[in-house]
């Protein structure tokens, strides 16, 4: 019981510091707070702490950060931001050291994904801009050279042949090269598309609606280790789950989202936890992943409450360290929460 109240007091201090910092310092600098907070659930303890020293120099963030991707193989972090006359993509080491920036052929980034193998480093970006490169999903190498364009550049639509997007929100690329795209961040399309590594449509699910396998602003997508595709159906305030091979609808979570729908979904490296962002609540949920064959209900293990108007948009998780990287629109920075060794905490 004493440990519980210590945790509560510590969490209160942490939140008070976040709010005070946001009011005094504005939103241009990352927080600098060496504070560890522990969440308990039954016999297990999970520890995350805000890494206030990431990145090493925060002045590189000159726009609004909308998305982040971790290349765990090469220990790189890609952050995409919006704004006029600024670099749209910033590249850091996982330790927070700035490496380079690039801006070519990126109009208005929304989602980003790093899909590196031993033979290739690639970065995928969903572009929702209205310019000549908008409404596309694009593949780059790690230095920003454009490699592949999916969709019809500068033209939004609902077509499949040729493939046309309307505000594509995010994507997830498997090690096999198969691609999952959620298309419809407020556009005409509300769909989930699976493409093969040679960009053939394998299956498609969705249209605008509230029924199973229909969407209202599908905003984020991820795949777990047992072959299930998880989609943040933000407008419908639920997460929908599909079989990755057939596209069959497997179930949905909606009991965790009475206040607001999910905006981002990513699994921890061990596959036991699903990290969920809620944009307008400025909150992260840590939930338990269900066993094979049972979607069940959403079970929240713990929450990370951020300062008001921080607005976590999309996030990614390092598959090597378990660190959570959060792109926040309101704060105009990228925050990182590191998973700690609980044996170091009394």
């Amino acid at each position: 019981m004493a440990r519980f109240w210590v945790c509560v007091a510590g969490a209160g201090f942490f939140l008070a510091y976040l709010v005070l910092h946001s009011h005094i310092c504005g939103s241009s600098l990352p927080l600098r707070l060496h504070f560890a907070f522990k969440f308990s659930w039954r016999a297990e303890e999970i520890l995350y702490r805000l890494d206030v020293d990431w990145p090493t120099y925060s002045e590189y963030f000159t726009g609004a950060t909308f998305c982040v991707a971790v290349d765990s193989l090469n220990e790189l972090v890609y952050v995409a931001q919006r704004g006029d006359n600024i670099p749209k993509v910033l590249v850091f080491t996982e330790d927070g050291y700035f490496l380079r920036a690039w801006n070519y052929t990126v109009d208005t980034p929304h989602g980003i994904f790093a899909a590196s193998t031993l033979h290739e480093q690639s970065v995928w970006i969903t572009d929702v801009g209205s310019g000549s490169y908008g409404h596309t999903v694009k593949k780059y190498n790690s230095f920003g050279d454009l490699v592949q364009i999916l969709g019809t550049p500068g033209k939004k639509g609902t077509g499949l042949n040729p493939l046309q997007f309307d505000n594509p929100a995010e994507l997830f690329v498997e090690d096999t090269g198969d691609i999952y795209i959620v298309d419809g961040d407020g556009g005409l399309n509300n769909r989930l598309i699976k493409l093969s590594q040679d960009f053939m449509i394998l299956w498609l699910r969705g249209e605008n609606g509230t029924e199973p396998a229909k969407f209202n602003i599908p905003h984020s997508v991820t795949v777990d280790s047992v072959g299930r595709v998880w989609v943040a159906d933000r407008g419908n305030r639920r997460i929908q789950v599909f079989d990755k091979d057939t596209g069959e609808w497997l179930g949905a979570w909606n009991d965790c989202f009475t206040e607001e729908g999910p905006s981002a979904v990513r699994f921890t490296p061990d596959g036991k936890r699903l990290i969920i962002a809620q944009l307008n609540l400025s909150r992260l949920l840590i939930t338990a992943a269900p066993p094979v064959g049972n979607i069940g209900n959403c079970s929240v293990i713990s929450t990370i409450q951020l300062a008001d108007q921080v607005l976590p948009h999309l996030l990614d998780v390092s598959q090597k360290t378990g660190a959570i990287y959060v792109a926040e629109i309101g704060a105009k920075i990228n925050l990182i929460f590191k998973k700690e060794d609980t044996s170091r905490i009394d």
Side-chain angles (χ1 to χ4, degrees):
M1 181 61 68
R3 176 177 290 188
F4 170 78
W5 288 113
V6 169
C7 292
V8 170
F13 172 78
F14 174 72
L15 295 179
Y17 184 92
L18 285 179
V19 173
L20 180 63
H21 186 283
S22 64
H23 285 295
I24 295 177
C25 302
S27 59
S28 60
L29 294 177
L31 300 177
R32 184 173 180 82
L33 177 63
H34 292 286
F35 183 77
F37 49 100
K38 185 182 298 186
F39 303 105
S40 296
W41 178 256
R42 296 176 183 173
E44 184 178 1
E45 292 181 334
I46 301 174
L47 178 69
Y48 287 93
R49 67 173 176 86
L50 179 64
D51 186 347
V52 296
D53 294 324
W54 201 100
T56 305
Y57 299 101
S58 59
E59 59 266 25
Y60 294 107
F61 292 101
T62 54
T65 55
F66 266 73
C67 48
V68 58
V70 183
D71 177 356
S72 300
L73 183 63
N74 297 288
E75 300 182 350
L76 299 176
V77 178
Y78 298 86
V79 181
Q81 58 180 357
R82 297 184 189 178
D84 296 328
N85 302 314
I86 63 170
K88 297 297 176 63
V89 179
L90 307 175
V91 187
F92 299 86
T93 66
E94 280 209 59
D95 292 332
Y97 292 98
F98 176 76
L99 295 178
R100 55 186 171 271
W102 38 275
N103 194 32
Y104 307 107
T105 71
V106 180
D107 188 357
T108 307
H110 187 280
I112 189 169
F113 189 88
S116 293
T117 66
L118 293 174
H119 307 290
E120 180 186 42
Q121 295 184 48
S122 60
V123 181
W124 292 83
I125 294 176
T126 62
D127 196 329
V128 298
S130 57
S132 58
Y133 292 102
H135 301 290
T136 56
V137 178
K138 292 172 289 193
K139 179 183 179 181
Y140 298 86
N141 63 24
S142 60
F143 291 94
D145 299 319
L146 183 59
V147 177
Q148 180 72 44
I149 299 178
L150 303 180
T152 307
K155 295 182 180 180
K156 61 182 180 180
T158 61
L160 294 178
N161 188 20
L163 188 65
Q164 288 182 292
F165 300 108
D166 189 353
N167 291 350
E170 199 194 40
L171 76 160
F172 186 95
V173 183
E174 288 194 280
D175 292 340
T176 60
D178 290 345
I179 306 168
Y180 304 82
I181 302 170
V182 281
D183 180 25
D185 182 42
L188 294 175
N189 300 331
N190 286 272
R191 61 193 185 186
L192 166 66
I193 303 173
K194 180 178 181 179
L195 303 178
S196 65
Q197 59 182 336
D198 54 357
F199 313 122
M200 300 296 293
I201 296 176
L202 298 178
W203 51 259
L204 181 150
R205 296 292 178 269
E207 58 182 81
N208 188 38
T210 59
E211 297 88 349
K214 294 185 179 181
F215 302 103
N216 180 12
I217 310 180
H219 198 262
S220 180
V221 59
T222 193
V223 180
D224 66 19
S225 60
V226 296
R228 298 175 296 196
V229 184
W230 298 71
V231 177
D233 189 5
R234 180 177 164 190
N236 284 327
R237 296 188 177 184
R238 65 186 179 186
I239 292 176
Q240 297 201 70
V241 189
F242 300 82
D243 181 272
K244 78 169 189 177
D245 295 322
T246 65
E248 176 189 0
W249 185 82
L250 300 177
W253 283 358
N254 52 30
D255 46 325
C256 289
F257 310 110
T258 56
E259 296 178 87
E260 186 192 2
S263 64
V265 286
R266 283 292 185 271
F267 281 92
T268 54
D270 59 10
K272 296 180 179 180
R273 305 287 179 257
L274 179 64
I275 313 297
I276 303 167
Q278 291 180 292
L279 179 71
N280 294 309
L281 293 178
S282 294
R283 183 168 69 185
L284 304 182
L285 303 179
I286 302 174
T287 62
V292 178
N294 178 27
I295 300 303
N297 296 316
C298 179
S299 175
V300 176
I301 296 172
S302 58
T303 63
I304 300 176
Q305 183 63 56
L306 305 172
D308 290 343
Q309 301 303 312
V310 167
L311 306 178
H313 185 244
L314 290 171
L315 61 85
D316 203 4
V317 178
S318 171
Q319 296 304 299
K320 181 176 293 185
T321 66
I324 305 170
Y325 293 80
V326 186
E328 300 182 321
I329 302 174
K332 296 184 179 181
I333 59 174
N334 188 80
L335 293 184
I336 171 176
F337 292 88
K338 287 187 175 180
K339 188 174 185 297
E340 292 285 13
D341 180 3
T342 56
S343 63
R344 295 187 299 175
I345 303 297
D346 293 333

